[in-house]
């Protein structure tokens, strides 16, 4: 089966990205995870249909793809809100009040940990260490990081998301408005960010802006 | 035969005992051979070790001190010192068991595995006393069906990855997999994609707990009530070793037995579940005779046998013929043959049902391969039916040879087969054009086949040769074999499918063969047999097709059907039916009524599989005992007993390579028919096994996309498929794996058999919407 | 305190744009590569890396030069750079990826040239999209300038670099799990042997090194292995990135020479404890490491000194806790992490870590039982027999034993606090 016919319902750029991904690796199976991100981007989350498409692209069974996908926490196999708020509650963030941050986020978004708000705007989850311990407590919005987010700032961040409903969320911009202590000097800001609850990275096509090189 | 060099031996110390063991063997195996059983769950001797369950921990001395290591994946090395029962080891094993049990439901009293459960047994042997786990156990939805046959209870699963490994590594259909991570890991299929593997039952057998269960056995019996006997599967001629397990005189389960010569313990689901037919309500229980109104009525054995004796007594010997016998043991076949030849005095005997290869070829080819040769072959040539459908356990063996032992595979077939994914070279050809393929392969000029040719001349070749489909000219196989035997280090395994067909041939159930593979035409051979049996007919007999023709012409008058159904299994159903109708007298020996014997004068119910005892001969000529736990190397019929001597070599003339053998078939605008078999067929025993009946696929005709578009046909459209012997209405399936110019119709499904087996068919859009049943 | 910097010199001097190719080139970037490809043979680079005696920075501290020397002769070979950085407390690789991706790339090219790899993979954890973007941009810029691709700088050496994002699984930091993940499989560690240098990615010889390890290579090649080995302490040489977090005045990443004392690292580099409270304890090398307490303040920050004191430098993460900390709750957080991140293959890790977590949870919620202390230690013993350091294991990889560290730590240093949480226990003990 040709790749194009398997993912005919994907956007043209993502079809092209899928094709390139399959060529990038010495063995096609290596493209499974990047393709799973693409499938998630296409369908809003990782649907059964998406897993089957990835299976057909890589010559695996759907069961094999499901097995791989379910191993990783970032392939969401259920509906995800427009903004995925991940609150780190691992040790360093915990020591600096992460539980209060999580509570603040739950209150403001009306989504309990592990669930999606009724209006579909937010999915809230607590996560293990996201490598921002020097800037604890830390949260991510669609995997875009904000460091030094004390509870009040977290509330403000969620409010801002609800009220302005930005199409693209950018780590530097959010850090500026809602962040505090950082793990290190971030340097000049980036003009790009995430358009969906999928890590915004060139090959997955969710960066929402041209690279500011 | 060039044997592998024996492994190098190394000296190690196990539990203080110095021993010589083969280098590279895993500690767990070495210890077991020495009588020390190291407990284990995930280790399985026929699969790659994964070292997951950690139950097999032992202590090994290393330069870094004594280390705990898993015995299942640690090879022995010179001077190794292993301690399998130190205090540290015992504590570790107790710990593992406690860990395994904390989330286990401990529902042993209602679990099918209770009584034969390694987890239960090892807990008794190595486990801690009481559970210290006071938290709530992990919960999953109660048993969910993974397929029509297999159910999964995830709470019992200990995540040993035996089932998933089997599916991925052994059977090659990874449809059940680990899902989730860590403590949430479980085993399951993809939503709406059932565990539709021909081999799914093996996972039930190797699951070390009661997580996987099979519907046919669920809640049927408790292990301690079971009686097990060793036997041989008769689903195909591979001779798979099985254990038949009965409870209160009823077969409740079949398990595989690890026989290195044949099946390594694996079975197809058909091997495993077809026993249900033995327990079928529909089995014949009393003899039936046709009454004056033409209906079959139950009667006494005395009356039925009198009728048969009268019929046999009323005609000349050579007016009697017999078809069938492949479901019988060698002893039964021998008795039948002796009765027919020396008492009835008829030479018209055929164990095959007119869909078969030349018996001389089947038993006479030399050098004949053993199944084990697959493990050593550099190249394997499969030019035969789709092994996955026709010889499932042999398919696994070829799969293993390719995926684990480094053999290269060449497949020649008119269509995609189950082995194609593993093939280093595949040749697809239009039915009827096989001789062309042989010519090109042998001539060494055609660029198309360069890859195949290179593989076939690179090293020792083991060739599995049979009919790719029923419309194939049987002589083609002989041509292919003659070609193959010229290849380097070649051995040929000639494939005929039915259970004990090779035993039948060896016992002389063939028009050209006397018992012991002696040609009927051999004066000395016959004379020797006559000295034991008395006078015998000296003519070459009729084969099944000629017997049916003889019935129609009135030259054959009395027919014995021995578990045979020529209406379904022959080439032309209508003429077979007419031939049976023309017979003076037909007596059928069978477990069920079928399309052929419902017209018989007398039907005698017979013992089925698992109810008789004897020997069975497989495709390699290996004779195995059904019912006793031993494998005989070769059965020798001593002359002092039966006057039969097995010849050393072939009893037939050398096969000649005749490139024109069979000839190329002209299709003249029509499509060449490829008539292959599928595993789950509409045959009586399959249909009488509830677990299997549901798996029979829907009939259809498969067309190459270009042929379909030339005929202006689309997928699922209903067409009339017409051949020489009849027509049948089927939906179209587009299938790009077919050779262009051919049509594939699975031969053994409900309705497709009515087409018979013509060489070519025409296909036309049908005016009717519905497919005829 | 200020020290000569190797890895962070450029980003310190040019905080705004150290990640850009123009800045990198303007500060001497890719000069080393140009010279090495012209003048050096692969063996020469190996010699320098061996002389540098740099220990891997991913956690196991295995000397990089020796590892490279183990590479099997088969081809193709691969370089895989481990940027999965998920050990709680660790965020140093993030800075190196984000702020100086070309330094890493130059290291990757030199390393690939040395080991004969024509394809290198940079595996970055999925939660690091910005670092991945920065590296991807750097890769594209490097291709455009001829530092990557065919015939690099006219040397005849070819190299492709692929940036690969993880999917959210700490265990993929373990090198063989990472390789499985990169092959499109579940990130489950493999049985060793074979080691990656013999059978790694696609069963081919593969070198796996940490981001920080590879980022050091340009400096080592430029300045010579001996110069590198001269920095730091006797056996632990060079500088190291430490990620300081927790109750500190100045959390963050710091590059310091090996061989300071913990007191210097915590009180001078990290600015001391917030609000000038008392130091209670710290986790010295990422969540897997046994904890240190005040008595260890004068221990030197080297591999051997920490090993002798019963812990490790691990991933370079230092998590500091002050006297307000509930150590049982802190230990619970860490154990919970490992329970969540266990791949699930090995029985003791899969079942043991969750069990430990649930007992600690009970303790924290006032439902502890007097037998729980022995039970916790016994479960730990089932995962890591003897509770020794370095740990013995009943598992394939060290993740399971990592969950044991926080428990043995609180039992060793704060047993009274644990007992105080269990209703009835102290009364019984004193009766
Ligand atoms: C559970 C576990 C997690 C690990 N996580 C990481 C990691 O995130 N990053 C890393 O570089 N090494 C990690 N390692 C170490 C790697 O297995 C490997 O030793 C390292 O990447 C080799 O690179 P190095 O020699 O340059 O340190 C981890 C090891 C284990 C057992
Ligand atoms: S279902 Fe059975 S065979 Fe499969 S992993 Fe679980 S315990 Fe093992
Ligand atoms: S039998 Fe060795 S780890 Fe399972």
């Amino acid at each position: 089966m040709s790749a194009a016919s398997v993912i005919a319902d994907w956007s043209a750029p993502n079809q092209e990205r899928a094709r390139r991904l399959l060529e990038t690796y010495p063995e096609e199976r290596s493209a499974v995870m990047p393709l799973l991100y693409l499938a998630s981007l296409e369908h809003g989350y990782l649907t059964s249909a998406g897993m089957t498409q990835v299976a057909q692209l890589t010559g695996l069974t759907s069961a094999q793809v499901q097995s791989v996908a379910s191993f990783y926490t970032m392939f969401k196999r259920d509906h995800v809100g427009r903004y995925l708020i991940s609150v780190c509650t691992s040790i360093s963030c915990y020591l600096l009040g992460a539980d209060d941050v999580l509570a603040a986020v739950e209150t403001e978004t009306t989504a309990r940990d592990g669930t999606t708000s009724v209006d579909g705007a937010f999915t809230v989850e607590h996560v293990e260490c996201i490598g921002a311990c020097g800037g604890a407590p830390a949260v991510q919005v669609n995997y875009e990081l904000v460091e030094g987010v004390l509870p009040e700032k977290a509330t403000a961040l969620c409010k801002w998301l609800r009220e302005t409903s930005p199409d693209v969320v950018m780590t530097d911009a959010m850090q500026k408005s809602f962040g505090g202590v950082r793990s290190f000097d971030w340097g000049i800001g980036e003009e790009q960010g995430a358009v969906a609850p999928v890590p915004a990275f060139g090959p997955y096509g969710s960066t929402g802006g041209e690279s500011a090189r | 035969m060039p044997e592998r060099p024996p492994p190098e031996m190394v000296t190690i110390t196990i539990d203080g005992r110095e021993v010589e063991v083969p280098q590279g063997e895993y500690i767990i195996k070495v210890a077991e051979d020495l009588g020390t059983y190291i407990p284990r769950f995930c280790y399985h001797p026929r699969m790659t070790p994964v070292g997951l369950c950690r139950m097999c921990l032992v202590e090994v001395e290393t330069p870094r001190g004594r280390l705990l290591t898993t015995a299942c994946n640690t090879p022995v090395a010179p001077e190794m010192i292993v301690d399998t029962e130190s205090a540290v080891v015992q504590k570790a094993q107790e710990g593992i068991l406690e860990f395994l049990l904390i989330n286990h439901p401990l529902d042993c009293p209602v679990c099918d595995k209770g009584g034969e459960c390694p987890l239960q047994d090892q807990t008794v042997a190595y486990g801690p006393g009481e559970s210290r786990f006071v938290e709530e156990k992990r919960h999953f939805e109660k048993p969910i069906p993974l397929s029509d046959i297999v159910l999964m209870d995830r709470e019992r699963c200990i995540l040993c990855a035996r089932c998933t490994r089997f599916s991925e590594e052994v059977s090659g259909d990874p449809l059940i997999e680990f899902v989730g991570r860590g403590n949430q890991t479980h085993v399951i299929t993809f939503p709406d994609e059932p565990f539709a593997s021909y081999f799914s039952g093996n996972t039930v057998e190797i699951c070390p707990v009661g997580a996987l269960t099979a519907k046919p056995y669920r809640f049927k019996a408790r292990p301690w009530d079971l009686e097990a006997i060793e036997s041989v599967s008769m689903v195909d001629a591979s001779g798979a070793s099985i254990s038949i397990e009965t409870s209160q005189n009823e077969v409740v389960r079949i398990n595989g037995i690890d026989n290195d010569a044949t099946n390594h313990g694996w079975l197809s689901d058909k091997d495993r579940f077809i026993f249900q037919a033995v327990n079928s309500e529909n089995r014949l229980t009393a003899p039936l005779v046709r009454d004056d109104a033409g209906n079959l009525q139950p009667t006494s054995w005395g009356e039925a046998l009198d009728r048969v004796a009268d019929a046999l007594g009323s005609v000349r010997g050579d007016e009697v013929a017999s078809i069938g016998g492949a479901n019988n043991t060698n002893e039964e076949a021998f008795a039948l043959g002796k009765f027919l030849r020396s008492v009835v005095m008829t030479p018209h005997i055929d164990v095959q049902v007119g869909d078969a290869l030349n018996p001389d070829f089947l038993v006479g080819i030399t050098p004949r391969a053993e199944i084990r040769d697959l493990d050593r072959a550099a190249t394997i040539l499969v030019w035969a039916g789709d092994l996955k459908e026709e010889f499932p356990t042999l398919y696994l063996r070829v799969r293993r040879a390719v995926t684990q032992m480094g053999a290269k595979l060449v497949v020649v077939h008119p269509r995609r087969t189950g082995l194609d994914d593993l093939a280093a070279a595949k040749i697809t050809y239009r039915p009827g054009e096989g001789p062309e393929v042989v010519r090109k392969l042998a001539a060494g000029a055609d660029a198309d086949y360069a890859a195949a040719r290179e593989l076939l001349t690179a090293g020792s070749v083991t060739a599995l040769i049979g009919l790719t489909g029923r419309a194939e000219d049987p002589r083609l196989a002989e041509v292919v074999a003659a070609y193959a035997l010229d290849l380097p280090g070649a051995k040929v395994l000639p494939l005929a499918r039915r259970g004990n067909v090779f035993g039948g041939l060896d016992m002389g159930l063939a028009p050209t063969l006397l018992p012991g593979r002696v040609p009927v035409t051999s004066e000395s051979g016959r004379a020797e047999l006559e000295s034991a049996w008395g006078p015998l007919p000296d003519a070459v007999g009729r084969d099944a097709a000629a017997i049916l023709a003889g019935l129609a012409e009135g030259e054959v008058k009395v027919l014995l059907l021995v578990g045979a159904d020529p209406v379904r299994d022959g080439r032309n159903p209508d003429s077979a039916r007419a031939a049976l109708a023309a017979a003076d007298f037909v007596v059928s020996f069978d477990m069920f009524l079928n399309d052929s014997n419902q017209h018989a004068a007398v039907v005698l119910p017979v013992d089925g599989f698992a109810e008789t005892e004897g020997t069975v001969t497989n495709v390699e000529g290996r004779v195995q005992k059904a019912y006793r736990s031993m494998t005989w190397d070769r059965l020798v019929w001593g002359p002092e007993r039966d006057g039969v001597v097995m010849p050393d070599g072939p009893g037939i003339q050398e096969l000649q390579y005749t490139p024109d053998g069979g000839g190329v078939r002209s299709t003249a605008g029509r499509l060449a028919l490829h008539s292959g078999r599928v595993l789950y067929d509409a045959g009586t025993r399959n249909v009488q096994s509830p677990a299997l009946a549901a798996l029979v696929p829907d009939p259809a005709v498969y067309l190459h996309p270009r042929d379909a578009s030339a005929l202006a046909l689309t997928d699922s459209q209903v067409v009339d498929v017409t051949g020489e012997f009849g027509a049948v209405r089927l939906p179209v399936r587009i299938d790009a794996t077919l050779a262009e110019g051919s049509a594939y119709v699975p031969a053994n499904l409900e309705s497709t058999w009515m087409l018979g087996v013509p060489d070519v068919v025409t296909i036309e859009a049908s005016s009717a919407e519905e497919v005829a049943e | 305190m200020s020290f000569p910097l190797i890895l962070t010199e450029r980003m310190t001097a040019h905080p705004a744009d150290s990640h850009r190719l123009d800045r990198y080139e303007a500060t001497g970037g890719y000069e080393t590569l140009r010279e090495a490809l012209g003048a050096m043979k692969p063996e020469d680079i190996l010699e320098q890396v061996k002389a540098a005696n740099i220990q891997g920075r991913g956690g196991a501290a295995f000397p990089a030069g020796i590892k490279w020397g183990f590479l099997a002769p088969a081809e193709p070979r691969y370089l895989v750079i481990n940027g999965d950085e998920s050990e709680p407390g660790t965020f140093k690789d993030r800075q190196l990826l984000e702020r100086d991706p070309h330094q890493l790339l130059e290291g990757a090219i030199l390393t690939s040239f040395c080991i004969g790899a024509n394809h290198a993979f940079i595996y970055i954890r999925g939660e690091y999209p910005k670092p991945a973007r920065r590296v991807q941009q750097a890769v594209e810029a490097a291709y455009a300038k001829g530092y990557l691709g065919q015939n690099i700088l006219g040397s005849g050496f070819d190299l492709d670099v692929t940036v690969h994002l993880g999917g959210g699984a700490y265990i993929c930091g373990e090198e063989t799990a990472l390789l499985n993940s990169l092959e499109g499989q579940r990130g489950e560690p493999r049985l060793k042997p074979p080691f990656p240098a013999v059978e790694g990615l696609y069963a081919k010889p593969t070198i796996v090194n940490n981001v920080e390890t590879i980022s050091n290579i340009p400096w080592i090649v430029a300045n010579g292995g001996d110069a590198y080995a001269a920095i730091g302490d006797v056996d632990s040489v060079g500088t190291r990135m430490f990620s300081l977090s927790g109750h500190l005045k100045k959390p963050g990443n710091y590059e310091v020479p090996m061989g300071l004392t913990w007191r210097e690292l915590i009180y001078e580099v990290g600015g001391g404890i917030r609000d000038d409270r008392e130091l209670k304890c710290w986790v010295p090398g990422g969540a897997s490491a046994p904890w240190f307490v005040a008595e260890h303040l004068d221990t030197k920050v080297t591999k051997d000194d920490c090993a002798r004191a019963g812990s490790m430098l691990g991933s370079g993460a230092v998590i500091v806790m002050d006297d307000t900390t509930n150590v049982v709750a802190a230990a619970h957080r860490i154990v919970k992490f490992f329970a969540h991140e266990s791949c699930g293959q090995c029985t003791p890790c899969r079942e043991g870590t969750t069990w430990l977590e649930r007992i600690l949870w009970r303790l924290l919620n006032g439902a502890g039982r007097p037998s729980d202390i022995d039970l916790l230690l016994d479960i730990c013993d089932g995962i890591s027999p003897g509770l020794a350091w370095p740990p013995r294991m009943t598992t394939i990889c060290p993740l399971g034993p990592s969950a044991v560290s926080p428990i043995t730590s609180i039992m060793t240093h704060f047993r009274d606090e644990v007992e105080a949480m269990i209703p009835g226990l102290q009364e019984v003990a004193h009766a």
Side-chain angles (χ1 to χ4, degrees), chain B residues 445-679:
Chain B
D446 197 292
D448 283 357
Y449 303 155
R453 214 163 31 234
E454 195 172 308
L455 294 166
L456 290 168
T457 49
S460 64
V461 175
T462 296
L464 310 189
I465 298 174
L467 278 177
T468 58
R470 297 204 306 156
E472 190 91 79
D473 188 319
R475 287 170 299 171
L476 176 64
E478 294 165 55
V479 174
V480 174
Y483 157 74
L485 285 174
D486 279 344
L487 297 170
K491 291 182 185 177
V492 170
L493 195 59
L495 300 185
R497 187 182 49 89
R498 288 202 172 81
N500 192 28
V501 63
F502 287 92
L505 295 173
D506 281 355
M507 297 305 114
L509 297 187
T512 53
L513 291 173
L514 297 174
R517 303 180 188 166
V518 177
V520 170
T521 50
S522 157
E523 292 291 339
S524 59
R526 204 177 61 250
E528 201 173 331
L529 189 58
E530 282 180 335
S531 71
W533 283 8
L536 298 172
D538 58 1
V540 168
R542 296 168 179 265
D543 66 10
I547 290 170
L548 292 175
L551 285 168
E553 289 155 15
E555 286 170 23
V556 178
K557 297 197 163 113
V558 174
L559 176 66
L560 283 66
L561 288 177
V562 188
D565 183 357
V567 172
R568 284 231 179 178
D569 288 335
R571 225 168 132 75
N572 181 344
D574 286 340
S575 71
R577 212 180 269 116
L580 294 175
D584 286 1
F585 188 88
V586 176
V587 55
S588 162
F589 303 81
D590 218 302
M591 292 166 68
F592 296 99
L593 283 180
N594 60 35
D595 287 290
S596 296
N597 66 10
Q598 47 189 307
H599 309 291
V602 175
V603 181
L604 298 173
V606 295
D607 278 342
F609 157 78
E611 293 162 339
T612 52
E613 177 159 345
T615 59
V616 178
T617 304
N618 80 346
V619 64
E620 326 159 86
R622 182 180 305 278
V623 179
Q624 301 183 100
K625 185 84 170 69
Y627 281 23
R628 212 183 294 145
S629 35
M630 57 183 292
T631 297
W632 293 7
D633 211 19
R634 276 265 188 284
L635 180 70
V636 176
W637 295 85
E640 65 287 350
R641 208 172 83 198
D642 289 297
V644 182
V645 184
M646 291 296 281
D648 288 335
I652 54 169
Q653 65 278 36
E654 287 282 299
L655 290 163
Q656 292 300 312
Y657 169 46
T658 47
D660 293 327
V664 174
R665 200 193 293 161
S666 152
T667 46
R670 288 166 300 173
L671 299 176
L673 180 67
H674 171 47
S675 171
R677 291 177 184 277
V678 291
L679 184 67

Side-chain angles (χ1 to χ4, degrees), chain C residues 54-64 67-68 80-87 90 92-93 125 170-178 189 192 208-214 288 314-315 338 397-400 402:
Chain C
I54 178 174
Q55 294 163 346
R57 302 301 195 222
F62 192 82
K67 189 195 285 188
W68 297 5
V80 174
I81 296 173
N82 189 341
D84 192 57
E85 188 167 72
S86 310
E87 180 85 16
T90 319
K92 63 180 179 85
D93 293 342
R125 66 179 300 194
Y170 160 72
I171 190 61
C172 291
E174 194 283 333
E175 57 187 3
T176 58
L178 185 151
K192 292 192 252 189
V208 184
N209 271 128
N210 171 258
V211 165
E212 183 183 341
T213 313
I214 296 295
S288 312
S315 64
F338 289 114
C397 94
L399 188 148
S402 295

Side-chain angles (χ1 to χ4, degrees), chain B residues 28 39-43 50-56 70-73:
Chain B
I28 201 167
R40 80 287 300 262
F41 293 109
C42 65
Y43 171 75
V50 283
L52 298 186
C53 72
R54 317 302 291 174
M55 187 64 201
C56 66
T70 38
C72 70
N73 69 294

